[in-house]
Amino acid sequence: MKLKKKILGALSAGALMAGGLVVIASQSAYALTTISVSTNADAGAGSLRQAFIDASSGGSAAGDDVEIDIPASVGTITLSTGELLYDGGNGGSHTLTLRGNGNTIRQTTANARVINDTARTLFTMDGLTITGGTTTGSEAGAGIRVEGAATITNSTISGNNSGEAAGGLRVSNGALILTNSTISGNTAIGSDGGAFVNGPATIRNSTISGNDAGAGTGGGIEVNGAVSLVYATLSGNSAASGANVRVKEAGITSFGSVIALPQGDGTNCSSDVATVTNGFNWDDDGSCGFGSGTGDHSDAGNPQLGALGANGGPTQTRLPQTGSPLIDAIPAGSCQADGASGITTDQRGITRPQQAGCDIGAVEVVVEAAPAAKPVVVAPTLTG
């Protein structure tokens, strides 16, 4: 196990208020220690589990914020002896960052989630796939349970199953920022098939699809706070209410996003507060409050999204099919307007726009140029 103390934070830990909730800020006065994982074994020296032990109370890095780096060469890490637990180190107030470099953490232990971060600080994850977690009873968050706030980038949370709520992800006391990521194929018996956030949520260039909350609410995601959608695709999730998104005590602010194809008995959206539309949004049942913004399409029918699949980039996406009304629906001059400033690529890293305008949703369709016509060679005809 390699531990390296990298930097010393200059700012003290703080808290922000958002929607009446305390949101843990990412500032910290602690030194940052990096731990490098060198094996995909479930335990022992160089393992990811040992890194979590070293970062937690009593461990060799317990007094610092911790960044755990999993090199691409490590490969899939299969857990067979329970969840990975991080308790915030000495004092319980240190942050945890996971750098996955495209690797997967797969849980195979019965009735065990994948990651449990009990520190009420900030959990950050980049470049990881989290899968195979299961919980029973009142244990929510089968893939990842975070007691503080969470920032998730270039990652996938898929194939986790909760016997209560939050099949894929539970963020209990803070904001979620989800960027260039996919939450898919998670289930929960009670509610929140894909994710639950007890705080505000920002979803940018990300896909939430194919999650199931059974007879509950929030098939894709349920948020107890304001939701900001920018170039998001929420589709094909299932619940009795708010099949794709349920927002409690707040509303949705959206730009360039598609919410469609609800499954089960639920409509696309269920929100306690009216939607603020920044334009160029699409829903297919009129339940999301779109329609008043420039370029909005409310109750507009099938957006013609392809199935979730590998369409390039590190995460799976739903690609608009040929003839989809989502393609080029945002004029080029508006691609970075109204909350989308600085977003010049899609979820996969493809440049926006590719054609005359940007596409609604997380994916920008690339149209291959037709091959140049080959010259016709006419053989001379000889006579005589």
Side-chain angles (χ1 to χ4, degrees), residues 249-304:
E249 302 180 12
I252 299 168
T253 299
S254 185
F255 171 84
S257 295
V258 53
I259 308 179
L261 308 175
Q263 304 298 304
D265 297 327
T267 55
N268 279 309
C269 300
S270 172
S271 177
D272 289 354
V273 177
T275 295
V276 175
T277 171
N278 288 328
F280 305 104
N281 299 292
W282 183 288
D283 77 48
D284 59 357
D285 68 358
S287 67
C288 296
F290 301 149
S292 62
T294 301
D296 272 357
H297 301 268
S298 179
D299 198 10
N302 192 335
Q304 299 179 43

mmCIF file of all heavy atoms in Angstrom, residues 249-304:
data_model
loop_
_atom_site.group_PDB
_atom_site.id
_atom_site.type_symbol
_atom_site.label_atom_id
_atom_site.label_comp_id
_atom_site.label_asym_id
_atom_site.label_seq_id
_atom_site.Cartn_x
_atom_site.Cartn_y
_atom_site.Cartn_z
ATOM 1 N N GLU A 249 -40.787 19.069 -2.009
ATOM 2 C CA GLU A 249 -40.593 20.365 -1.361
ATOM 3 C C GLU A 249 -39.830 21.368 -2.232
ATOM 4 O O GLU A 249 -39.336 22.375 -1.742
ATOM 5 C CB GLU A 249 -39.882 20.195 -0.010
ATOM 6 C CG GLU A 249 -40.628 19.276 0.946
ATOM 7 C CD GLU A 249 -39.912 19.122 2.266
ATOM 8 O OE1 GLU A 249 -38.977 19.891 2.536
ATOM 9 O OE2 GLU A 249 -40.297 18.227 3.036
ATOM 10 N N ALA A 250 -39.691 21.094 -3.494
ATOM 11 C CA ALA A 250 -38.976 21.997 -4.408
ATOM 12 C C ALA A 250 -39.415 21.673 -5.830
ATOM 13 O O ALA A 250 -40.373 20.939 -6.050
ATOM 14 C CB ALA A 250 -37.462 21.859 -4.235
ATOM 15 N N GLY A 251 -38.692 22.229 -6.808
ATOM 16 C CA GLY A 251 -39.066 22.016 -8.189
ATOM 17 C C GLY A 251 -37.869 21.714 -9.068
ATOM 18 O O GLY A 251 -36.736 21.547 -8.604
ATOM 19 N N ILE A 252 -38.131 21.647 -10.369
ATOM 20 C CA ILE A 252 -37.129 21.322 -11.376
ATOM 21 C C ILE A 252 -36.786 22.580 -12.164
ATOM 22 O O ILE A 252 -37.670 23.330 -12.562
ATOM 23 C CB ILE A 252 -37.661 20.252 -12.345
ATOM 24 C CG1 ILE A 252 -37.992 18.952 -11.601
ATOM 25 C CG2 ILE A 252 -36.660 19.989 -13.466
ATOM 26 C CD1 ILE A 252 -38.776 17.957 -12.441
ATOM 27 N N THR A 253 -35.498 22.806 -12.382
ATOM 28 C CA THR A 253 -35.024 23.807 -13.338
ATOM 29 C C THR A 253 -34.282 23.053 -14.432
ATOM 30 O O THR A 253 -33.383 22.265 -14.135
ATOM 31 C CB THR A 253 -34.091 24.829 -12.671
ATOM 32 O OG1 THR A 253 -34.806 25.524 -11.643
ATOM 33 C CG2 THR A 253 -33.591 25.843 -13.680
ATOM 34 N N SER A 254 -34.652 23.272 -15.692
ATOM 35 C CA SER A 254 -34.124 22.393 -16.741
ATOM 36 C C SER A 254 -33.788 23.145 -18.012
ATOM 37 O O SER A 254 -34.470 24.089 -18.419
ATOM 38 C CB SER A 254 -35.156 21.304 -17.060
ATOM 39 O OG SER A 254 -34.640 20.373 -17.984
ATOM 40 N N PHE A 255 -32.715 22.688 -18.652
ATOM 41 C CA PHE A 255 -32.311 23.167 -19.969
ATOM 42 C C PHE A 255 -31.873 21.967 -20.810
ATOM 43 O O PHE A 255 -31.096 21.116 -20.358
ATOM 44 C CB PHE A 255 -31.144 24.142 -19.890
ATOM 45 C CG PHE A 255 -30.564 24.498 -21.242
ATOM 46 C CD1 PHE A 255 -31.135 25.502 -22.021
ATOM 47 C CD2 PHE A 255 -29.460 23.818 -21.752
ATOM 48 C CE1 PHE A 255 -30.619 25.811 -23.272
ATOM 49 C CE2 PHE A 255 -28.941 24.114 -23.003
ATOM 50 C CZ PHE A 255 -29.521 25.122 -23.767
ATOM 51 N N GLY A 256 -32.348 21.879 -22.036
ATOM 52 C CA GLY A 256 -31.847 20.914 -23.006
ATOM 53 C C GLY A 256 -31.947 19.470 -22.573
ATOM 54 O O GLY A 256 -31.093 18.661 -22.945
ATOM 55 N N SER A 257 -32.999 19.120 -21.836
ATOM 56 C CA SER A 257 -33.101 17.775 -21.273
ATOM 57 C C SER A 257 -34.345 17.051 -21.779
ATOM 58 O O SER A 257 -35.359 17.678 -22.132
ATOM 59 C CB SER A 257 -33.135 17.851 -19.742
ATOM 60 O OG SER A 257 -31.917 18.364 -19.250
ATOM 61 N N VAL A 258 -34.277 15.724 -21.802
ATOM 62 C CA VAL A 258 -35.401 14.899 -22.223
ATOM 63 C C VAL A 258 -35.809 13.998 -21.063
ATOM 64 O O VAL A 258 -34.971 13.324 -20.456
ATOM 65 C CB VAL A 258 -35.064 14.069 -23.479
ATOM 66 C CG1 VAL A 258 -33.798 13.250 -23.311
ATOM 67 C CG2 VAL A 258 -36.233 13.172 -23.865
ATOM 68 N N ILE A 259 -37.105 14.030 -20.748
ATOM 69 C CA ILE A 259 -37.684 13.156 -19.721
ATOM 70 C C ILE A 259 -38.843 12.436 -20.393
ATOM 71 O O ILE A 259 -39.851 13.057 -20.754
ATOM 72 C CB ILE A 259 -38.164 13.958 -18.497
ATOM 73 C CG1 ILE A 259 -37.050 14.867 -17.970
ATOM 74 C CG2 ILE A 259 -38.642 13.007 -17.407
ATOM 75 C CD1 ILE A 259 -37.453 15.713 -16.769
ATOM 76 N N ALA A 260 -38.715 11.124 -20.565
ATOM 77 C CA ALA A 260 -39.663 10.436 -21.437
ATOM 78 C C ALA A 260 -39.730 8.945 -21.145
ATOM 79 O O ALA A 260 -38.927 8.398 -20.395
ATOM 80 C CB ALA A 260 -39.278 10.663 -22.904
ATOM 81 N N LEU A 261 -40.716 8.317 -21.769
ATOM 82 C CA LEU A 261 -40.903 6.869 -21.779
ATOM 83 C C LEU A 261 -41.036 6.300 -20.364
ATOM 84 O O LEU A 261 -40.375 5.326 -20.002
ATOM 85 C CB LEU A 261 -39.745 6.190 -22.514
ATOM 86 C CG LEU A 261 -39.433 6.737 -23.906
ATOM 87 C CD1 LEU A 261 -38.191 6.068 -24.491
ATOM 88 C CD2 LEU A 261 -40.628 6.549 -24.836
ATOM 89 N N PRO A 262 -41.931 6.866 -19.514
ATOM 90 C CA PRO A 262 -42.107 6.343 -18.160
ATOM 91 C C PRO A 262 -42.698 4.941 -18.189
ATOM 92 O O PRO A 262 -43.554 4.625 -19.018
ATOM 93 C CB PRO A 262 -43.064 7.347 -17.523
ATOM 94 C CG PRO A 262 -43.857 7.894 -18.684
ATOM 95 C CD PRO A 262 -42.873 7.964 -19.815
ATOM 96 N N GLN A 263 -42.264 4.110 -17.262
ATOM 97 C CA GLN A 263 -42.761 2.744 -17.160
ATOM 98 C C GLN A 263 -43.598 2.603 -15.887
ATOM 99 O O GLN A 263 -43.599 3.469 -15.022
ATOM 100 C CB GLN A 263 -41.598 1.764 -17.161
ATOM 101 C CG GLN A 263 -40.672 1.880 -18.361
ATOM 102 C CD GLN A 263 -41.360 1.599 -19.673
ATOM 103 O OE1 GLN A 263 -41.954 0.539 -19.861
ATOM 104 N NE2 GLN A 263 -41.313 2.555 -20.600
ATOM 105 N N GLY A 264 -44.293 1.471 -15.743
ATOM 106 C CA GLY A 264 -45.163 1.286 -14.596
ATOM 107 C C GLY A 264 -46.404 2.150 -14.751
ATOM 108 O O GLY A 264 -46.833 2.482 -15.853
ATOM 109 N N ASP A 265 -46.981 2.579 -13.626
ATOM 110 C CA ASP A 265 -48.198 3.381 -13.662
ATOM 111 C C ASP A 265 -47.917 4.873 -13.577
ATOM 112 O O ASP A 265 -48.831 5.693 -13.622
ATOM 113 C CB ASP A 265 -49.114 2.989 -12.493
ATOM 114 C CG ASP A 265 -49.576 1.543 -12.581
ATOM 115 O OD1 ASP A 265 -49.759 1.059 -13.713
ATOM 116 O OD2 ASP A 265 -49.727 0.907 -11.526
ATOM 117 N N GLY A 266 -46.650 5.251 -13.431
ATOM 118 C CA GLY A 266 -46.318 6.632 -13.140
ATOM 119 C C GLY A 266 -46.168 7.518 -14.363
ATOM 120 O O GLY A 266 -45.875 7.058 -15.466
ATOM 121 N N THR A 267 -46.364 8.821 -14.149
ATOM 122 C CA THR A 267 -46.036 9.810 -15.149
ATOM 123 C C THR A 267 -44.544 10.112 -15.074
ATOM 124 O O THR A 267 -43.849 9.663 -14.159
ATOM 125 C CB THR A 267 -46.831 11.098 -14.907
ATOM 126 O OG1 THR A 267 -46.590 11.524 -13.561
ATOM 127 C CG2 THR A 267 -48.311 10.865 -15.107
ATOM 128 N N ASN A 268 -44.038 10.898 -16.025
ATOM 129 C CA ASN A 268 -42.613 11.230 -16.026
ATOM 130 C C ASN A 268 -42.183 11.925 -14.744
ATOM 131 O O ASN A 268 -41.197 11.539 -14.121
ATOM 132 C CB ASN A 268 -42.295 12.166 -17.207
ATOM 133 C CG ASN A 268 -42.137 11.442 -18.509
ATOM 134 O OD1 ASN A 268 -41.402 10.483 -18.608
ATOM 135 N ND2 ASN A 268 -42.845 11.908 -19.532
ATOM 136 N N CYS A 269 -42.892 12.994 -14.365
ATOM 137 C CA CYS A 269 -42.448 13.887 -13.298
ATOM 138 C C CYS A 269 -43.516 14.056 -12.232
ATOM 139 O O CYS A 269 -44.714 14.130 -12.530
ATOM 140 C CB CYS A 269 -42.110 15.273 -13.864
ATOM 141 S SG CYS A 269 -40.793 15.266 -15.097
ATOM 142 N N SER A 270 -43.061 14.129 -10.990
ATOM 143 C CA SER A 270 -43.910 14.506 -9.867
ATOM 144 C C SER A 270 -43.123 15.516 -9.054
ATOM 145 O O SER A 270 -42.059 15.209 -8.528
ATOM 146 C CB SER A 270 -44.251 13.285 -9.010
ATOM 147 O OG SER A 270 -44.922 13.668 -7.833
ATOM 148 N N SER A 271 -43.643 16.762 -8.972
ATOM 149 C CA SER A 271 -42.901 17.829 -8.315
ATOM 150 C C SER A 271 -43.835 18.653 -7.448
ATOM 151 O O SER A 271 -44.964 18.941 -7.831
ATOM 152 C CB SER A 271 -42.236 18.725 -9.367
ATOM 153 O OG SER A 271 -41.569 19.808 -8.772
ATOM 154 N N ASP A 272 -43.351 19.049 -6.252
ATOM 155 C CA ASP A 272 -44.154 19.836 -5.322
ATOM 156 C C ASP A 272 -44.204 21.313 -5.701
ATOM 157 O O ASP A 272 -45.039 22.061 -5.184
ATOM 158 C CB ASP A 272 -43.607 19.703 -3.902
ATOM 159 C CG ASP A 272 -43.860 18.317 -3.319
ATOM 160 O OD1 ASP A 272 -44.556 17.519 -3.976
ATOM 161 O OD2 ASP A 272 -43.354 18.027 -2.223
ATOM 162 N N VAL A 273 -43.291 21.770 -6.552
ATOM 163 C CA VAL A 273 -43.185 23.174 -6.936
ATOM 164 C C VAL A 273 -43.102 23.254 -8.460
ATOM 165 O O VAL A 273 -42.536 22.362 -9.111
ATOM 166 C CB VAL A 273 -41.950 23.844 -6.289
ATOM 167 C CG1 VAL A 273 -41.808 25.283 -6.739
ATOM 168 C CG2 VAL A 273 -42.039 23.763 -4.765
ATOM 169 N N ALA A 274 -43.634 24.306 -9.022
ATOM 170 C CA ALA A 274 -43.656 24.450 -10.479
ATOM 171 C C ALA A 274 -42.246 24.443 -11.073
ATOM 172 O O ALA A 274 -41.288 24.923 -10.469
ATOM 173 C CB ALA A 274 -44.365 25.748 -10.865
ATOM 174 N N THR A 275 -42.147 23.898 -12.268
ATOM 175 C CA THR A 275 -40.883 23.825 -12.996
ATOM 176 C C THR A 275 -40.467 25.194 -13.517
ATOM 177 O O THR A 275 -41.299 25.991 -13.951
ATOM 178 C CB THR A 275 -41.019 22.854 -14.177
ATOM 179 O OG1 THR A 275 -41.246 21.538 -13.675
ATOM 180 C CG2 THR A 275 -39.770 22.855 -15.059
ATOM 181 N N VAL A 276 -39.149 25.440 -13.477
ATOM 182 C CA VAL A 276 -38.567 26.589 -14.150
ATOM 183 C C VAL A 276 -37.865 26.059 -15.399
ATOM 184 O O VAL A 276 -36.905 25.289 -15.294
ATOM 185 C CB VAL A 276 -37.561 27.339 -13.261
ATOM 186 C CG1 VAL A 276 -36.892 28.467 -14.042
ATOM 187 C CG2 VAL A 276 -38.255 27.891 -12.021
ATOM 188 N N THR A 277 -38.345 26.432 -16.569
ATOM 189 C CA THR A 277 -37.732 25.934 -17.794
ATOM 190 C C THR A 277 -36.846 26.998 -18.410
ATOM 191 O O THR A 277 -37.266 28.144 -18.607
ATOM 192 C CB THR A 277 -38.795 25.473 -18.806
ATOM 193 O OG1 THR A 277 -38.153 25.187 -20.066
ATOM 194 C CG2 THR A 277 -39.875 26.513 -19.020
ATOM 195 N N ASN A 278 -35.629 26.593 -18.708
ATOM 196 C CA ASN A 278 -34.686 27.468 -19.406
ATOM 197 C C ASN A 278 -34.660 27.191 -20.897
ATOM 198 O O ASN A 278 -33.811 27.723 -21.616
ATOM 199 C CB ASN A 278 -33.291 27.312 -18.810
ATOM 200 C CG ASN A 278 -33.179 27.939 -17.436
ATOM 201 O OD1 ASN A 278 -33.835 28.936 -17.147
ATOM 202 N ND2 ASN A 278 -32.364 27.348 -16.572
ATOM 203 N N GLY A 279 -35.580 26.347 -21.351
ATOM 204 C CA GLY A 279 -35.749 26.134 -22.778
ATOM 205 C C GLY A 279 -35.187 24.838 -23.310
ATOM 206 O O GLY A 279 -34.335 24.185 -22.711
ATOM 207 N N PHE A 280 -35.741 24.444 -24.487
ATOM 208 C CA PHE A 280 -35.249 23.313 -25.276
ATOM 209 C C PHE A 280 -35.320 21.999 -24.509
ATOM 210 O O PHE A 280 -34.390 21.182 -24.560
ATOM 211 C CB PHE A 280 -33.833 23.596 -25.793
ATOM 212 C CG PHE A 280 -33.727 24.878 -26.560
ATOM 213 C CD1 PHE A 280 -33.142 25.999 -25.986
ATOM 214 C CD2 PHE A 280 -34.255 24.991 -27.837
ATOM 215 C CE1 PHE A 280 -33.057 27.201 -26.681
ATOM 216 C CE2 PHE A 280 -34.188 26.184 -28.539
ATOM 217 C CZ PHE A 280 -33.586 27.299 -27.961
ATOM 218 N N ASN A 281 -36.430 21.795 -23.788
ATOM 219 C CA ASN A 281 -36.669 20.549 -23.069
ATOM 220 C C ASN A 281 -37.743 19.726 -23.781
ATOM 221 O O ASN A 281 -38.541 20.253 -24.553
ATOM 222 C CB ASN A 281 -37.122 20.849 -21.638
ATOM 223 C CG ASN A 281 -36.082 21.609 -20.844
ATOM 224 O OD1 ASN A 281 -35.025 21.090 -20.526
ATOM 225 N ND2 ASN A 281 -36.384 22.866 -20.532
ATOM 226 N N TRP A 282 -37.785 18.441 -23.470
ATOM 227 C CA TRP A 282 -38.740 17.533 -24.119
ATOM 228 C C TRP A 282 -39.317 16.578 -23.079
ATOM 229 O O TRP A 282 -38.578 15.962 -22.322
ATOM 230 C CB TRP A 282 -38.022 16.713 -25.196
ATOM 231 C CG TRP A 282 -38.922 15.799 -25.989
ATOM 232 C CD1 TRP A 282 -39.529 14.647 -25.577
ATOM 233 C CD2 TRP A 282 -39.321 15.983 -27.351
ATOM 234 N NE1 TRP A 282 -40.278 14.109 -26.579
ATOM 235 C CE2 TRP A 282 -40.162 14.909 -27.683
ATOM 236 C CE3 TRP A 282 -39.049 16.947 -28.308
ATOM 237 C CZ2 TRP A 282 -40.724 14.767 -28.942
ATOM 238 C CZ3 TRP A 282 -39.600 16.815 -29.559
ATOM 239 C CH2 TRP A 282 -40.429 15.719 -29.884
ATOM 240 N N ASP A 283 -40.643 16.481 -23.032
ATOM 241 C CA ASP A 283 -41.271 15.353 -22.341
ATOM 242 C C ASP A 283 -42.400 14.820 -23.203
ATOM 243 O O ASP A 283 -42.886 15.509 -24.111
ATOM 244 C CB ASP A 283 -41.740 15.722 -20.924
ATOM 245 C CG ASP A 283 -43.028 16.524 -20.872
ATOM 246 O OD1 ASP A 283 -44.015 16.138 -21.545
ATOM 247 O OD2 ASP A 283 -43.083 17.531 -20.147
ATOM 248 N N ASP A 284 -42.802 13.587 -22.952
ATOM 249 C CA ASP A 284 -43.779 12.953 -23.830
ATOM 250 C C ASP A 284 -45.142 12.767 -23.187
ATOM 251 O O ASP A 284 -46.011 12.107 -23.767
ATOM 252 C CB ASP A 284 -43.241 11.614 -24.352
ATOM 253 C CG ASP A 284 -42.914 10.622 -23.242
ATOM 254 O OD1 ASP A 284 -43.052 10.980 -22.052
ATOM 255 O OD2 ASP A 284 -42.523 9.487 -23.564
ATOM 256 N N ASP A 285 -45.362 13.357 -21.978
ATOM 257 C CA ASP A 285 -46.679 13.211 -21.370
ATOM 258 C C ASP A 285 -47.207 14.501 -20.724
ATOM 259 O O ASP A 285 -48.287 14.503 -20.122
ATOM 260 C CB ASP A 285 -46.690 12.073 -20.353
ATOM 261 C CG ASP A 285 -45.843 12.354 -19.120
ATOM 262 O OD1 ASP A 285 -45.202 13.425 -19.046
ATOM 263 O OD2 ASP A 285 -45.818 11.494 -18.226
ATOM 264 N N GLY A 286 -46.472 15.588 -20.813
ATOM 265 C CA GLY A 286 -46.932 16.861 -20.286
ATOM 266 C C GLY A 286 -46.870 17.013 -18.783
ATOM 267 O O GLY A 286 -47.379 18.003 -18.242
ATOM 268 N N SER A 287 -46.202 16.089 -18.084
ATOM 269 C CA SER A 287 -46.205 16.121 -16.618
ATOM 270 C C SER A 287 -45.044 16.891 -16.007
ATOM 271 O O SER A 287 -44.995 17.062 -14.785
ATOM 272 C CB SER A 287 -46.180 14.686 -16.069
ATOM 273 O OG SER A 287 -44.937 14.053 -16.365
ATOM 274 N N CYS A 288 -44.088 17.360 -16.812
ATOM 275 C CA CYS A 288 -42.851 17.927 -16.263
ATOM 276 C C CYS A 288 -42.843 19.453 -16.194
ATOM 277 O O CYS A 288 -41.856 20.039 -15.741
ATOM 278 C CB CYS A 288 -41.656 17.438 -17.073
ATOM 279 S SG CYS A 288 -41.417 15.645 -16.972
ATOM 280 N N GLY A 289 -43.902 20.091 -16.652
ATOM 281 C CA GLY A 289 -43.963 21.545 -16.580
ATOM 282 C C GLY A 289 -43.216 22.263 -17.673
ATOM 283 O O GLY A 289 -42.955 23.462 -17.587
ATOM 284 N N PHE A 290 -42.831 21.525 -18.726
ATOM 285 C CA PHE A 290 -42.199 22.160 -19.870
ATOM 286 C C PHE A 290 -43.277 22.795 -20.754
ATOM 287 O O PHE A 290 -44.453 22.505 -20.622
ATOM 288 C CB PHE A 290 -41.405 21.148 -20.685
ATOM 289 C CG PHE A 290 -40.313 20.446 -19.915
ATOM 290 C CD1 PHE A 290 -39.939 19.143 -20.227
ATOM 291 C CD2 PHE A 290 -39.664 21.077 -18.870
ATOM 292 C CE1 PHE A 290 -38.932 18.491 -19.526
ATOM 293 C CE2 PHE A 290 -38.655 20.433 -18.155
ATOM 294 C CZ PHE A 290 -38.300 19.144 -18.490
ATOM 295 N N GLY A 291 -42.856 23.627 -21.666
ATOM 296 C CA GLY A 291 -43.790 24.210 -22.615
ATOM 297 C C GLY A 291 -43.732 25.713 -22.690
ATOM 298 O O GLY A 291 -44.045 26.300 -23.723
ATOM 299 N N SER A 292 -43.308 26.361 -21.591
ATOM 300 C CA SER A 292 -43.270 27.824 -21.599
ATOM 301 C C SER A 292 -41.916 28.376 -22.015
ATOM 302 O O SER A 292 -41.777 29.569 -22.280
ATOM 303 C CB SER A 292 -43.617 28.360 -20.209
ATOM 304 O OG SER A 292 -42.673 27.930 -19.241
ATOM 305 N N GLY A 293 -40.912 27.535 -22.090
ATOM 306 C CA GLY A 293 -39.574 27.984 -22.459
ATOM 307 C C GLY A 293 -39.358 27.965 -23.959
ATOM 308 O O GLY A 293 -40.026 27.233 -24.699
ATOM 309 N N THR A 294 -38.397 28.750 -24.403
ATOM 310 C CA THR A 294 -38.039 28.762 -25.821
ATOM 311 C C THR A 294 -37.643 27.364 -26.282
ATOM 312 O O THR A 294 -36.801 26.708 -25.664
ATOM 313 C CB THR A 294 -36.861 29.718 -26.066
ATOM 314 O OG1 THR A 294 -37.222 31.029 -25.637
ATOM 315 C CG2 THR A 294 -36.464 29.734 -27.531
ATOM 316 N N GLY A 295 -38.256 26.886 -27.340
ATOM 317 C CA GLY A 295 -37.884 25.599 -27.899
ATOM 318 C C GLY A 295 -38.327 24.399 -27.093
ATOM 319 O O GLY A 295 -37.922 23.273 -27.388
ATOM 320 N N ASP A 296 -39.193 24.597 -26.082
ATOM 321 C CA ASP A 296 -39.703 23.471 -25.295
ATOM 322 C C ASP A 296 -40.671 22.621 -26.115
ATOM 323 O O ASP A 296 -41.360 23.119 -27.018
ATOM 324 C CB ASP A 296 -40.435 23.977 -24.056
ATOM 325 C CG ASP A 296 -39.525 24.174 -22.858
ATOM 326 O OD1 ASP A 296 -38.323 23.861 -22.962
ATOM 327 O OD2 ASP A 296 -40.022 24.638 -21.813
ATOM 328 N N HIS A 297 -40.748 21.332 -25.749
ATOM 329 C CA HIS A 297 -41.695 20.409 -26.352
ATOM 330 C C HIS A 297 -42.343 19.620 -25.215
ATOM 331 O O HIS A 297 -41.718 18.744 -24.635
ATOM 332 C CB HIS A 297 -40.999 19.460 -27.329
ATOM 333 C CG HIS A 297 -40.293 20.153 -28.450
ATOM 334 N ND1 HIS A 297 -40.878 20.423 -29.668
ATOM 335 C CD2 HIS A 297 -39.033 20.648 -28.526
ATOM 336 C CE1 HIS A 297 -40.018 21.050 -30.453
ATOM 337 N NE2 HIS A 297 -38.883 21.192 -29.778
ATOM 338 N N SER A 298 -43.586 19.945 -24.900
ATOM 339 C CA SER A 298 -44.302 19.276 -23.823
ATOM 340 C C SER A 298 -45.378 18.366 -24.390
ATOM 341 O O SER A 298 -46.058 18.725 -25.358
ATOM 342 C CB SER A 298 -44.940 20.315 -22.897
ATOM 343 O OG SER A 298 -45.656 19.688 -21.857
ATOM 344 N N ASP A 299 -45.519 17.168 -23.804
ATOM 345 C CA ASP A 299 -46.487 16.181 -24.297
ATOM 346 C C ASP A 299 -46.279 15.966 -25.792
ATOM 347 O O ASP A 299 -47.220 15.951 -26.583
ATOM 348 C CB ASP A 299 -47.910 16.656 -24.005
ATOM 349 C CG ASP A 299 -48.937 15.529 -24.086
ATOM 350 O OD1 ASP A 299 -48.526 14.354 -24.179
ATOM 351 O OD2 ASP A 299 -50.140 15.835 -24.060
ATOM 352 N N ALA A 300 -45.003 15.793 -26.151
ATOM 353 C CA ALA A 300 -44.608 15.855 -27.565
ATOM 354 C C ALA A 300 -44.429 14.499 -28.231
ATOM 355 O O ALA A 300 -43.981 14.426 -29.374
ATOM 356 C CB ALA A 300 -43.307 16.658 -27.688
ATOM 357 N N GLY A 301 -44.752 13.416 -27.532
ATOM 358 C CA GLY A 301 -44.644 12.108 -28.156
ATOM 359 C C GLY A 301 -43.272 11.477 -28.003
ATOM 360 O O GLY A 301 -42.387 11.980 -27.307
ATOM 361 N N ASN A 302 -43.106 10.374 -28.677
ATOM 362 C CA ASN A 302 -41.904 9.548 -28.547
ATOM 363 C C ASN A 302 -40.668 10.286 -29.066
ATOM 364 O O ASN A 302 -40.625 10.698 -30.223
ATOM 365 C CB ASN A 302 -42.107 8.256 -29.333
ATOM 366 C CG ASN A 302 -41.048 7.211 -29.044
ATOM 367 O OD1 ASN A 302 -39.926 7.521 -28.639
ATOM 368 N ND2 ASN A 302 -41.397 5.954 -29.255
ATOM 369 N N PRO A 303 -39.615 10.439 -28.220
ATOM 370 C CA PRO A 303 -38.401 11.122 -28.670
ATOM 371 C C PRO A 303 -37.471 10.241 -29.498
ATOM 372 O O PRO A 303 -36.428 10.709 -29.943
ATOM 373 C CB PRO A 303 -37.737 11.527 -27.363
ATOM 374 C CG PRO A 303 -38.144 10.453 -26.400
ATOM 375 C CD PRO A 303 -39.556 10.092 -26.785
ATOM 376 N N GLN A 304 -37.839 8.967 -29.666
ATOM 377 C CA GLN A 304 -37.060 8.031 -30.487
ATOM 378 C C GLN A 304 -35.631 7.859 -29.961
ATOM 379 O O GLN A 304 -34.642 8.089 -30.673
ATOM 380 C CB GLN A 304 -37.058 8.476 -31.950
ATOM 381 C CG GLN A 304 -38.449 8.536 -32.562
ATOM 382 C CD GLN A 304 -38.450 9.010 -33.999
ATOM 383 O OE1 GLN A 304 -37.614 8.590 -34.787
ATOM 384 N NE2 GLN A 304 -39.384 9.887 -34.337
#
